[in-house]
Amino acid sequence: MKKTILITGWTGYIWSHWVVAFEKAGYKTVIVDNLVNSNLETLENIEKILWYKPDFFEVDLRNKEKLREVFEKYDFDWVVHFAGLKAVGESCEKPLDYFDNNIVGSIKLFELMQEFGVKNIIFSSSATVYDSSIYERKNFSWAVETDITWNTTNPYWTTKFILERILKDLANFSGFRVMNLRYFNPIWAHPSWFIWEDPEWIPNNLMPFIFKVANGELDELKVFGGDYDTVDWTWMRDYIDVVDLIDWHLKAYEKINKPHPNPLLKGEGIKEVWFFKTYNLWVGRARSVLEMIKATEKVVWKKIPYKIVDRRPGDLASVYCNPKKAKKELAWEAKISLEESLKNSWKFYNK
Ligand code: NAD
Ligand code: WQD
């Protein structure tokens, strides 16, 4: 009997890749999404890869009654929770929208999980929970899972921090089994080039911009800031291939059922054994904006015109995390080379 997974926010960029990986791994996926930042074209594209359409329900997580109807239809083994608004800048303009969408929506989901006895969850958290003071304090070495701080500086970060804490309590007091995964810059496209990150409007992230300049859709790349204390004065990031990232999620699921001692909480009513694990999922190599431009030029065989402009408001400082714990405990690491990732993406943007 196939294990059935409820995936929230699947039509989004990363999670459309997830559906393909998990269906191919033998799981049945059921997807809910309100299409606030995606469209049904993704479903058509996934069908081109899988030769069938997974079950999809257009549901806003905050509509508990409609979401309950989905829970009533299936016997879910676990939930992969990706639905959420994710833009740091936008969250600063609309804090309450982010709190309502990401926190209230997630709580409705958790309530139904509890009601229907579905206790396994993989949560898509973010390295946004590591603030730049960590890097300064550690002389810009790589953040590890315990480096989280509560002093959030943008509403998006606040939602991730709060949801991690809620899930930790549900693991302690309500029997939830939680795999809490933090990453930051998933990029590229599926080798089939049927699914990719291609927001319908002008892209926000670096790589869609670079490729749209390479294919002539945009004239030049604006490099936000050229005065940072890095190898070439532009921001560093650890970019991970989205297919690698999703494969790592598969590994994480296999571990979700392994109990382990509760290292953080002792005391009345706290179970000694619990199921709450956090992992940084990263390549472990930071690259600057200019390095990414040069690497892309080698693949597309053309110069990428760019202009260094002012820093982007709200831009995080160099962000990179140490993936050592995940590599060791999940026995996995990123495999896809930068060149292969760039070639996969260029196949799409150069269509
Ligand atoms: P995305 O916007 O492409 O996908 C999110 C999906 O969730 C969209 O399809 C959207 O329509 C849906 N959604 C949003 N609110 C909803 C609601 N209330 N009810 C139902 N569906 C809803 O974003 P993504 O890049 O695929 O990211 C997915 C998850 O991964 C998010 O939780 C994000 O915070 C997290 N994440 C993303 C990145 C990144 O750089 N892309 C990095 C770290 C973590
Ligand atoms: C990468 C680097 C820019 C575009 C975002 C979200 C964050 C997280 C990951 C969810 C930065 C520079 C970019 C451009 C540029 N999502 N850049 N010119 O900012 O690392 O993080 O995605 O957790 O919440 O904010 O990603 O791809 O936008 O930028 O110079 O046109 O490229 O300044 O240094 P970022 P990004």
Side-chain angles (χ1 to χ4, degrees):
M1 175 75 173
K2 270 189 177 183
K3 286 191 179 293
T4 307
I5 314 167
L6 172 63
I7 300 185
T8 72
W10 75 287
T11 46
Y13 158 53
I14 306 176
W15 320 123
S16 40
H17 290 75
W18 169 284
V19 172
V20 170
F22 272 71
E23 286 285 345
K24 288 192 168 182
Y27 296 98
K28 174 174 176 46
T29 58
V30 175
I31 300 106
V32 295
D33 196 300
N34 68 352
L35 303 181
V36 73
N37 191 38
S38 53
N39 58 56
L40 284 178
E41 186 188 341
T42 310
L43 197 60
E44 312 299 331
N45 292 324
I46 286 178
E47 188 179 12
K48 290 174 191 164
I49 301 172
L50 295 176
W51 299 98
Y52 61 90
K53 280 184 190 171
D55 296 351
F56 168 68
F57 299 87
E58 186 175 346
V59 174
D60 187 310
L61 294 186
R62 292 165 292 184
N63 185 335
K64 192 171 174 180
E65 287 323 304
K66 269 196 83 176
L67 189 57
R68 180 194 304 279
E69 289 169 16
V70 179
F71 272 84
E72 284 165 346
K73 282 187 171 60
Y74 300 89
D75 181 15
F76 291 122
D77 295 282
W78 52 301
V79 170
V80 185
H81 181 30
F82 300 123
L85 301 176
K86 62 158 183 179
V88 170
E90 184 187 53
S91 78
C92 299
E93 293 157 21
K94 311 172 184 171
L96 286 173
D97 289 4
Y98 269 66
F99 297 147
D100 183 51
N101 191 78
N102 292 2
I103 297 174
V104 174
S106 298
I107 289 173
K108 302 291 183 200
L109 172 70
F110 301 158
E111 287 171 346
L112 287 168
M113 286 175 65
Q114 172 133 297
E115 185 181 327
F116 285 84
V118 182
K119 295 294 181 82
N120 288 344
I121 180 169
I122 286 189
F123 175 57
S124 175
S125 188
S126 164
T128 200
V129 301
Y130 300 121
D131 74 352
S132 54
S133 67
I134 291 170
Y135 300 105
E136 285 144 24
R137 191 178 74 242
K138 300 179 73 166
N139 192 23
F140 289 92
S141 70
W142 306 63
V144 294
E145 285 81 355
T146 50
D147 280 328
I148 185 170
T149 60
W150 54 266
N151 56 332
T152 58
T153 58
N154 65 70
Y156 169 68
W157 174 358
T158 303
T159 66
K160 289 301 183 185
F161 178 81
I162 288 174
L163 287 171
E164 285 196 6
R165 308 300 301 175
I166 288 172
L167 284 167
K168 189 166 280 189
D169 286 345
L170 291 176
N172 263 309
F173 300 100
S174 306
F176 275 52
R177 297 174 175 204
V178 182
M179 195 55 85
N180 179 44
L181 304 180
R182 295 178 187 152
Y183 31 87
F184 207 67
N185 297 93
I187 41 182
W188 321 121
H190 190 270
S192 68
W193 46 266
F194 285 128
I195 46 181
W196 58 86
E197 167 137 55
D198 183 37
E200 287 153 1
W201 55 84
I202 291 282
N204 184 45
N205 293 121
L206 177 64
M207 292 317 296
F209 246 124
I210 288 184
F211 281 113
K212 284 180 181 259
V213 172
N215 73 2
E217 284 183 55
L218 299 171
D219 295 333
E220 71 172 4
L221 175 77
K222 289 184 175 54
V223 175
F224 297 132
D227 56 353
Y228 297 114
D229 183 16
T230 65
V231 287
D232 58 21
W233 315 107
T234 61
W235 270 152
M236 307 289 283
R237 291 286 189 274
D238 183 338
Y239 299 94
I240 184 167
D241 189 296
V242 66
V243 175
D244 262 339
L245 182 65
I246 296 304
D247 286 349
W248 218 336
H249 280 66
L250 271 164
K251 288 285 175 186
Y253 167 66
E254 289 153 15
K255 294 273 181 178
I256 203 167
N257 291 308
K258 303 239 183 322
H260 46 272
N262 176 345
L264 301 179
L265 290 173
K266 298 266 187 287
E268 197 52 41
I270 307 275
K271 287 193 291 299
E272 287 304 306
V273 168
W274 67 332
F275 299 85
F276 184 95
K277 291 291 270 188
T278 295
Y279 292 106
N280 291 334
L281 302 188
W282 295 69
V283 174
R285 180 168 189 280
R287 291 182 173 95
S288 74
V289 176
L290 297 186
E291 283 176 306
M292 296 303 279
I293 293 172
K294 290 190 185 78
T296 307
E297 289 173 339
K298 286 190 187 130
V299 164
V300 304
W301 289 86
K302 57 178 86 169
K303 292 300 282 178
I304 308 279
Y306 68 86
K307 183 177 167 201
I308 294 185
V309 298
D310 294 339
R311 296 183 175 191
R312 178 171 63 177
D315 243 357
L316 301 165
S318 291
V319 176
Y320 32 89
C321 303
N322 189 325
K324 190 172 61 186
K325 180 183 172 191
K327 286 182 181 178
K328 178 167 172 277
E329 295 186 17
L330 300 182
W332 196 89
E333 57 186 315
K335 298 180 179 62
I336 301 174
S337 70
L338 175 62
E339 187 184 8
E340 184 184 348
S341 294
L342 287 166
K343 283 178 180 169
N344 284 337
S345 288
W346 184 232
K347 279 193 285 189
F348 162 67
Y349 285 95
N350 196 29
K351 263 193 303 193

